[in-house]
Amino acid sequence: MRPRRRDRRFDDARDAAGNGVLDRRAFLRGGAGAVATGAFMAYAPSDASAASPPETPSGMTTPGAPLSPYGSPATFEREVTRTLIRSQPGTTGAGASRTPLEALEGMITPSGLHFERHHNGVPTIDPAQHQLLIHGMVARPLIFTVASLQRYPMESRIHFLECSGNSALMYGATPPTLTCGQTHGLVSCSEWTGVPLRLLLEEAGVDPRADWVLAEGADAAAMSRSVPMAKAMDDAMLALYQNGERLRPENGYPVRLFLPGYEGNMSVKWLRRIKVTDTPTMTKDETSKYTDLRADGTSLMFTYPMEVKSVITRPAPGLKMTGPGLYELSGIAWSGRGKIRKVEVSADGGQTWAEAVLAAPVLAYALTRFRIAWKWNGAPTVLKSRATDDAGRVQPTRDELIAQQGANVVYHYHAIQAWRVESTGEVKNVYA
Amino acid sequence: MSTREALAVATCVIVFGGCAGTAPRETPNLGRAATQAEIAGWDISIAPDGRGLPRGAGTPADGALVYAQKCQVCHGDKGVGGPNDRLVGGQGTLASKTPVRTIGSYWPYATTVFDYVRRSMPFFQPHSLTDSEVYAVTAYLLSLNGIIGEQDVMNAETLPKVKMPNRDNFILVQPWKPRVQ
């Protein structure tokens, strides 16, 4: 393999942290366009190994494919799919599928790759037949059709959704030998459009003594969770659209609850009923599940916000480095308590850190893309990222997290992720 | 806003004044009134104090028959050893390195067992059991866990009074406490 062409922009850049992490402005020096056009394609074969294309490729000598009613990814991308699709024994729809994080860029997850977590499959719901009941401690119990919901004033917001059990295997004694998406892919980010729940609750007239609402889905698990009234009246949304089109069936078509920043299970899909109550209903999924068992045998209940977290997605397990040289480290960071303030990256196992560039827009409760240049010398090393949110919360190390809450918790894992880069270019999950 | 609309809003404020404690605003108001009969048909959730529990009753012996037919294939003989969630035992293990979370060792409210079985079990035929069958299966599982006696009858009066062993070991993070009525 011939060495990569040297690039003056990087020769000029001073090291921002140990082992080749470059100043975060290194990529910007040549203008943003120079980055976007890929002066080097990390994780792809080098130019030298690629065959020269014909001067007139076949696509230029025959008419292309016809127009189509609904587009699909390129056929060459068919391996980019949801991954680690697992269901409870004897079932097909009671489990999860994960977003292939290492195959994606930017902040938005394609709807077809949004992670899934269902408790008894995806119901087929005709929107003309579906209705939403709001009742309980209200002056006027009301029933809404889906068509009527579409006449209400809507909001559009970009928010992540993360399953409370995302990264749970990282609590285990040995690091999982899985791809990045298989380990951390129960998080996705979409633009959600819908009706503020507050508008409908106000129309129904909430009894001032009510403190909670129960949300219930129209699936075969009749998924149900209690939501604090303060959240319901704040930024809770009845989402009808995802990334501009109507919700996908696996994301709650025709209408779902969406609670920004909260554990995904509470954003009840296929929403059929909102009951205003004075107490939590203490459903199965807020008592026997989605509670955090600590080392002393007590459990935390109602731990709603997903904590500050980040992970490097390129390079990451599932991708292979293609020899020494210049790379861009890229990853995602998010917090259920607000915006990401900064992400620091280390290429020497955490001895030294440099601040990565946060790609605009940086939004509350959204995935934030971070990037930084790294000149890999080809020697084995450990990469890490550490996020801080605007509430000042910093990602803990795995040891700190487990020391704080014990190893019996299966939810809310958010520790600093370490990827070991081998001299072969392989990237492995390590506890370091 | 036309005079007529302004009057309509004003009337609304007068009639429903302060009903939501919010300033009047124009909203589409497209919901139709739900009748009590409709609500009764939709409302399947059970509060931890038992509000919402239906008529009907069942004993552990009744429940054993239902369990053998509808539950055992997934959850195992007497709630242990099936391919899916274990339902029985594990008491005393929560502070160990291998905690076993079951209805008996972990679940804080007996009403949740009724609520969950009725809304989502059996897995392949949810909403197929009668309310008395749900009471019976609930009674059987509570009895297998040693929480109620083998002769105890579970119904809307008795079930909410069952104190689950792990009830007091949950720490509520979300600021909330029952209001003094």
Side-chain angles (χ1 to χ4, degrees):
Chain A
M1 184 185 299
R2 77 178 156 85
R4 292 178 177 279
R5 193 175 54 215
R6 294 179 71 82
D7 186 322
R8 275 188 52 81
R9 287 181 291 135
F10 300 99
D11 292 342
D12 294 344
R14 63 185 170 80
D15 285 4
N19 198 21
V21 177
L22 301 183
D23 186 280
R24 65 200 179 103
R25 286 171 296 275
F27 276 130
L28 304 178
R29 197 160 299 168
V35 179
T37 54
F40 42 83
M41 297 292 291
Y43 321 113
S46 72
D47 293 347
S49 64
S52 297
E55 289 182 6
T56 308
S58 61
M60 297 177 71
T61 58
T62 53
L67 305 167
S68 62
Y70 198 99
S72 301
T75 55
F76 304 99
E77 299 294 320
R78 63 165 65 95
E79 289 180 10
V80 179
T81 64
R82 289 193 279 235
T83 181
L84 199 69
I85 301 169
R86 295 284 184 278
S87 189
Q88 287 275 314
T91 72
T92 55
S97 66
R98 279 98 174 148
T99 297
L101 299 175
E102 68 279 6
L104 304 179
E105 258 297 339
M107 70 188 293
I108 297 292
T109 310
S111 298
L113 296 176
H114 192 290
F115 82 86
E116 298 172 281
R117 174 72 178 103
H118 315 309
H119 293 73
N120 196 354
V122 179
T124 300
I125 297 177
D126 177 353
Q129 303 297 322
H130 187 75
Q131 297 186 326
L132 171 66
L133 169 65
I134 297 182
H135 72 114
M137 297 172 70
V138 296
R140 296 168 294 281
L142 297 172
I143 292 175
F144 296 89
T145 64
V146 176
S148 70
L149 292 178
Q150 288 196 263
R151 262 187 56 191
Y152 278 76
M154 295 194 195
E155 294 180 357
S156 294
R157 295 193 237 112
I158 295 174
H159 289 317
F160 76 81
L161 191 69
E162 184 180 22
C163 177
S164 188
N166 192 23
S167 321
L169 289 172
M170 295 297 293
Y171 283 116
T174 55
T177 54
L178 298 167
T179 66
C180 177
Q182 289 166 347
T183 301
H184 298 296
L186 290 176
V187 65
S188 305
C189 187
S190 303
E191 184 202 56
W192 304 96
T193 297
V195 180
L197 175 57
R198 170 177 37 82
L199 294 184
L200 304 184
L201 289 174
E202 285 174 355
E203 286 189 354
V206 172
D207 185 322
R209 292 168 299 174
D211 277 337
W212 294 81
V213 302
L214 176 76
E216 182 179 272
D219 58 325
M223 172 53 62
S224 55
R225 287 291 305 255
S226 304
V227 178
M229 182 61 73
K231 185 71 170 176
M233 297 300 271
D234 180 15
D235 57 1
M237 174 194 281
L238 302 181
L240 297 161
Y241 296 83
Q242 176 186 9
N243 295 332
E245 65 182 354
R246 295 298 297 271
L247 299 176
R248 295 289 173 94
E250 63 269 34
N251 264 293
Y253 183 86
V255 57
R256 79 175 302 166
L257 184 61
F258 196 93
L259 302 176
Y262 278 20
E263 59 185 12
N265 178 256
M266 299 177 73
S267 287
V268 172
K269 294 175 284 193
W270 315 294
L271 189 69
R272 75 187 293 262
R273 189 164 72 96
I274 295 279
K275 183 177 186 180
V276 177
T277 61
D278 53 355
T279 72
T281 300
M282 299 296 184
T283 69
K284 185 267 281 180
D285 283 290
E286 59 206 20
T287 56
S288 78
K289 308 286 185 187
Y290 302 97
T291 47
D292 303 334
L293 176 60
R294 302 190 298 178
D296 66 359
T298 63
S299 295
L300 299 182
M301 183 181 259
F302 306 151
T303 50
Y304 298 145
M306 298 307 291
E307 303 292 349
V308 61
K309 188 169 177 178
S310 71
V311 61
I312 296 172
T313 56
R314 287 192 308 140
L319 300 173
K320 193 174 176 184
M321 308 279 287
T322 50
L326 207 43
Y327 288 83
E328 183 172 67
L329 303 180
S330 177
I332 48 175
W334 64 100
S335 171
R337 296 182 184 272
K339 289 183 188 177
I340 291 298
R341 177 191 293 166
K342 69 174 176 180
V343 180
E344 297 158 292
V345 172
S346 173
D348 55 12
Q351 296 174 57
T352 60
W353 299 82
E355 209 171 315
V357 175
L358 304 183
V362 177
L363 303 173
Y365 316 127
L367 292 190
T368 296
R369 176 63 60 174
F370 65 88
R371 301 185 178 99
I372 195 166
W374 179 43
K375 193 179 284 182
W376 183 39
N377 62 14
T381 192
V382 171
L383 303 174
K384 294 182 177 181
S385 63
R386 179 173 66 192
T388 302
D389 68 17
D390 64 357
R393 291 167 188 263
V394 184
Q395 252 186 298
T397 66
R398 182 174 175 277
D399 286 347
E400 288 168 347
L401 183 68
I402 289 177
Q404 180 195 337
Q405 60 186 29
N408 286 341
V409 185
V410 293
Y411 302 108
H412 295 281
Y413 185 92
H414 67 112
I416 293 169
Q417 174 65 55
W419 300 135
R420 179 178 168 83
V421 179
E422 304 287 8
S423 55
T424 58
E426 284 177 278
V427 186
K428 293 178 178 170
N429 188 347
V430 290
Y431 293 164
Chain B
M1 188 184 287
S2 71
T3 305
R4 179 176 297 199
E5 284 169 334
L7 275 173
V9 171
T11 305
C12 177
V13 173
I14 291 163
V15 173
F16 299 107
C19 54
T22 55
R25 79 168 90 205
E26 283 195 85
T27 60
N29 277 307
L30 297 174
R32 73 169 173 85
T35 67
Q36 288 309 308
E38 286 174 321
I39 293 169
W42 288 45
D43 186 2
I44 57 171
S45 50
I46 311 298
D49 62 8
R51 281 176 293 170
L53 280 169
R55 290 189 201 139
T59 65
D62 301 333
L65 298 175
V66 178
Y67 184 89
Q69 285 187 359
K70 305 287 180 76
C71 319
Q72 187 166 320
V73 62
C74 293
H75 295 289
D77 184 31
K78 294 186 168 58
V80 179
N84 300 98
D85 278 22
R86 178 173 166 173
L87 306 176
V88 172
Q91 293 178 28
T93 67
L94 296 183
S96 75
K97 285 188 174 173
T98 52
V100 178
R101 275 164 276 208
T102 73
I103 290 170
S105 70
Y106 198 67
W107 292 40
Y109 294 96
T111 48
T112 308
V113 183
F114 183 97
D115 175 285
Y116 181 61
V117 170
R118 185 168 70 156
R119 73 173 54 243
S120 61
M121 290 289 140
F123 186 88
F124 293 101
Q125 298 165 292
H127 301 277
S128 65
L129 300 180
T130 66
D131 288 338
S132 286
E133 286 176 318
V134 177
Y135 276 118
V137 169
T138 303
Y140 179 60
L141 294 171
L142 294 172
S143 170
L144 284 176
N145 277 296
I147 297 168
I148 65 169
E150 292 182 5
Q151 307 301 320
D152 289 348
V153 178
M154 288 294 105
N155 57 36
E157 284 72 45
T158 57
L159 182 63
K161 297 194 177 90
V162 174
K163 173 92 186 264
M164 300 296 275
N166 198 41
R167 164 89 65 88
D168 296 332
N169 292 321
F170 285 87
I171 298 160
L172 277 58
V173 173
Q174 173 72 21
W176 176 78
K177 61 186 178 202
R179 287 167 188 267
V180 178
Q181 296 298 325

